Amino acid sequence: MKKYILLILVSISFLSCEKSDNDFVIENNPFTIFPTTISRNVMLENFCGEWSDDNERASRLLDSMYVNSGYRIFPVKFHDNDWLETGYTSYQREFLGGLGGVSIGSTNREPAKSTTNNENNYILMSSNNWSYNAFLQLNETPPLGIALNTKINDNNTLSVDLYVAQTAVVTETTRVLFYLVENNIDPIFQKNASDNFKHNYVFKSSFPDQVGELINQQSPTNNGTIKKLTFNGINLSQVNVASTKLVAFIYKESDDYTKRQVVNVQSCNIGGARIWQ
C-alpha cells in the first residue's frame, strides 16, 4: 500500500513541474528591458577659472541645479587659465562657438531661449539663464535613452557597456562621447573662496578622443530596440576614482556649432551603473 501512495505522490510532483501554457520567463537583466518612459537629461558645460571671483557662486548654482533636477542635470566644468585646465578647454571653447570669458555655459548645446540679457539663440550663455533653459529641456521628450554599466579593470582602466533605447529616428549623424568628471577637489588659488569650498564637476579627460565615435540612430528599424555598445580602455590613472563620475552623451555631428545639440546624456559613478531614467 505504501508503494502505491509513494508512486502517486511522485506522479503528482512530476506533473506539477510540467510547463503550462501560462508559464513565463522573468527577465533578470534590466538593461535589456525597453523602458516604459524615457527622460531627457541635461549636460551643462561651463567655462570657469580660479582667478574669477564669480566661480564659487556659479559652482553653488550648479550644485543646486543638480539636486533640484533630481540628479538629471550633469554639470561639466572646463577650467581655463588655472592649474585644473586641460588641453581640451581651448578646443571645446571653439567647438561651442568661441565665446570668451568664464561663468558662461551651454545646456545640451541648445540655442538659448527667453534670456534676460539678449542672449537668445546663443549656445554659450551667462549663468543667470542656465536654470530656465536646463529645466525647460528636462521636460522635453527625447528620441533615445541611455543606460550605463561600468567595470574597473585590474590595469586601472574602465570598461563601459552603453545601452541605447531608441524611440524615434534621429535624422542627423550622431556621435557618442565620454567625459571623466571629478568632484571634491581642494582649491589652491581660488579667488575669495570660502573655507568649505570644493571644486566639483571638473573635466579631466574625454574618450575615445575629442569628438567621439560615430553611432547610427538614423535607421527606422531601430525604433523600439535597444542597442548595446562596449568600450574598453578608459584611463583612470589621472583621477581619484572614488570621487569621479562618467558622463556619457550622444550629440549631433555638424560643421555648424549651433547644430551640435546633445540628444541625451547619462552619468554614473566609476565602477557603477545607471538604469533608464
Side-chain angles (χ1 to χ4, degrees), residues 48-272:
C48 65
E50 282 199 322
W51 48 270
S52 169
D53 56 8
D54 189 49
N55 187 44
E56 181 170 359
R57 182 204 61 82
S59 296
R60 296 197 186 282
L61 171 61
L62 292 176
D63 291 339
S64 174
M65 292 174 64
Y66 177 59
V67 173
N68 292 334
S69 68
Y71 310 102
R72 289 174 50 212
I73 293 175
F74 307 123
V76 180
K77 302 193 71 174
F78 299 101
H79 278 254
D80 191 357
N81 199 29
D82 66 19
W83 66 283
L84 289 170
E85 180 181 359
T86 71
Y88 198 82
T89 295
S90 59
Y91 168 84
Q92 191 66 359
R93 188 182 286 281
E94 292 301 315
F95 191 76
L96 297 181
L99 189 65
V102 292
S103 294
I104 56 174
S106 75
T107 56
N108 274 345
R109 304 175 183 174
E110 294 278 358
K113 299 177 181 178
S114 301
T115 59
T116 58
N117 50 345
N118 297 318
E119 293 180 339
N120 285 2
N121 298 316
Y122 284 26
I123 298 301
L124 290 167
M125 68 192 97
S126 54
S127 59
N128 55 307
N129 291 310
W130 293 348
S131 290
Y132 175 82
N133 281 271
F135 282 91
L136 187 70
Q137 292 160 24
L138 287 178
N139 292 319
E140 296 174 347
T141 301
L144 58 86
I146 300 172
L148 298 170
N149 193 20
T150 70
K151 177 186 176 183
I152 301 174
N153 302 311
D154 292 337
N155 61 352
N156 204 23
T157 65
L158 187 73
S159 296
V160 179
D161 287 333
L162 180 139
Y163 298 83
V164 181
Q166 185 172 344
T167 61
V169 173
V170 181
T171 57
E172 300 87 350
T173 301
T174 51
R175 289 183 177 272
V176 59
L177 186 60
F178 299 92
Y179 288 161
L180 289 182
V181 177
E182 189 170 338
N183 295 319
N184 205 35
I185 298 176
D186 289 324
I188 297 179
F189 305 110
Q190 177 59 54
K191 188 175 181 180
N192 298 329
S194 58
D195 291 340
N196 63 345
F197 177 70
K198 303 281 188 181
H199 290 301
N200 291 323
Y201 324 116
V202 177
F203 172 87
K204 300 304 288 283
S205 64
S206 64
F207 182 89
D209 49 32
Q210 291 181 320
V211 297
E213 183 172 305
L214 287 171
I215 174 175
N216 178 22
Q217 300 300 134
Q218 298 170 300
S219 173
T221 60
N222 289 338
N223 293 353
T225 64
I226 295 175
K227 177 187 295 184
K228 178 184 176 183
L229 301 171
T230 298
F231 299 85
N232 296 299
I234 300 178
N235 188 357
L236 301 176
S237 63
Q238 302 301 313
V239 299
N240 180 351
V241 170
S243 57
T244 298
K245 290 183 178 290
L246 180 76
V247 176
F249 61 98
I250 295 172
Y251 73 96
K252 299 175 183 178
E253 181 181 63
S254 176
D255 292 333
D256 183 348
Y257 75 90
T258 66
K259 297 179 180 179
R260 294 169 177 160
Q261 281 74 50
V262 173
V263 182
N264 215 341
V265 57
Q266 190 59 275
S267 179
C268 70
N269 293 328
I270 298 300

